[in-house]
Amino acid sequence: MMHLRTLLLLATAAWLLAPTCQAAEVLTNDAIVSMVKAGLGEELILNKIKMSPGQYDLTTNALIKLKTDGVSDRIIQAMMGAPSAPGPAATPVPPVAPMAPPPPVATPVPVGPQPPLAVSLPGAPGMIVVQGQSLFVKVNDRVLEVLPVVAEIAHSMAKHFIPFYFGPGDNWHFVSGQKAAARVPKGKPAFYTKVNPSSFQLMQLAYDSARNFRYVVSTGATYRGSLSFAINRLPDDTFELVPTGELGGGEYAFVAGGTFYDFGID
């Protein structure tokens, strides 16, 4: 009888001290997009991000894809501020005895003309690969890369107070700072990209000095003050974008959805 009681006590103690086997759910970009497309409310998703560990891809291309998939700025900011879930523990590496540095090896210097390592833009003296999500623009004797920027969006309710107005409200799209990093000359600069520009719009940005941001306003899918430009498809499937009219001094951007390719003319 005493032996049976001892066994029961040991079994109860083992059950109480056993760790839980259920691991917490780890959120990813795909999980966030699935919740948004399923129609879950923004506050519900924000609470889920706060309560769950995450392993998010927060690279520029991943942020652009999140925006394209309908994820709001508040949710993206919560993902950026959420603590990362711990990854698998690294296997310890045994220490290696230091080795004497190898003798320096002279790098051979190529002699004579070398084969091109990339495609060249029409009329550009240098060689450059047109790829990825960027725009490239010729500036005199060099080529500049215009990187995509995800714009912040604020909705204006002003039009909803107009009597008998049933149209869409205004959206303010803005990026911080007075000037873009990429500066191009006046006239008709030619831009090049591998991104299909069928949804692009070109416009001049206004500047709000009090809040230090450049912005443009859209009503529905129509942006105010859109500028026309021509699209030429080159043989290597690169698209050339050339403004129809000459561009003067100011801040500009090619816009696709919430993505800005901003540049300025001094």
Side-chain angles (χ1 to χ4, degrees):
M1 185 68 178
M2 183 66 67
H3 181 66
L4 179 59
R5 181 178 298 174
T6 303
L7 289 177
L8 289 175
L9 289 174
L10 290 175
T12 304
W15 178 77
L16 291 173
L17 296 176
T20 58
C21 298
Q22 183 179 5
E25 178 188 8
V26 177
L27 297 181
T28 63
N29 291 36
D30 291 338
I32 298 298
V33 172
S34 297
M35 288 190 286
V36 171
K37 291 187 176 180
L40 297 182
E42 186 178 60
E43 294 300 328
L44 181 61
I45 297 175
L46 291 173
N47 288 334
K48 181 68 174 175
I49 292 173
K50 293 177 182 177
M51 296 172 60
S52 305
Q55 289 182 350
Y56 304 114
D57 182 358
L58 299 175
T59 60
T60 300
N61 289 341
L63 293 178
I64 293 172
K65 186 176 185 305
L66 286 170
K67 194 71 178 179
T68 305
D69 287 335
V71 180
S72 70
D73 293 337
R74 289 186 65 199
I75 294 177
I76 293 176
Q77 289 173 357
M79 292 169 64
M80 296 175 71
S84 299
T91 304
V93 179
V96 179
M99 299 178 61
V105 179
T107 304
V109 178
V111 178
Q114 299 298 308
L117 299 179
V119 297
S120 112
L121 296 182
M127 308 294 287
I128 187 167
V129 175
V130 179
Q131 61 183 359
Q133 300 292 322
S134 300
L135 279 177
F136 295 88
V137 57
K138 294 187 297 183
V139 178
N140 300 325
D141 59 346
R142 58 199 179 104
V143 176
L144 292 181
E145 183 178 12
V146 183
L147 296 172
V149 177
V150 178
E152 299 288 337
I153 301 176
H155 184 71
S156 171
M157 299 292 294
K159 283 189 174 180
H160 296 287
F161 295 101
I162 300 176
F164 306 108
Y165 179 80
F166 301 101
D170 290 336
N171 289 315
W172 289 59
H173 309 257
F174 56 90
V175 290
S176 62
Q178 181 177 4
K179 290 186 176 183
R183 316 305 295 175
V184 304
K186 296 179 181 179
K188 297 182 179 181
F191 295 83
Y192 299 88
T193 183
K194 285 289 188 182
V195 181
N196 190 329
S198 57
S199 63
F200 280 21
Q201 297 188 62
L202 173 63
M203 61 210 59
Q204 187 167 4
L205 306 181
Y207 177 62
D208 186 323
S209 58
R211 288 172 283 190
N212 190 33
F213 60 67
R214 290 157 289 143
Y215 69 93
V216 66
V217 180
S218 69
T219 303
T222 304
Y223 287 86
R224 296 181 188 173
S226 259
L227 305 173
S228 61
F229 61 95
I231 301 176
N232 304 313
R233 188 166 188 166
L234 304 182
D236 64 344
D237 288 333
T238 295
F239 295 93
E240 180 185 52
L241 316 179
V242 182
T244 304
E246 293 195 356
L247 302 182
E251 299 299 309
Y252 298 85
F254 282 98
V255 177
T259 303
F260 275 46
Y261 296 88
D262 58 331
F263 62 95
I265 298 178
D266 296 320

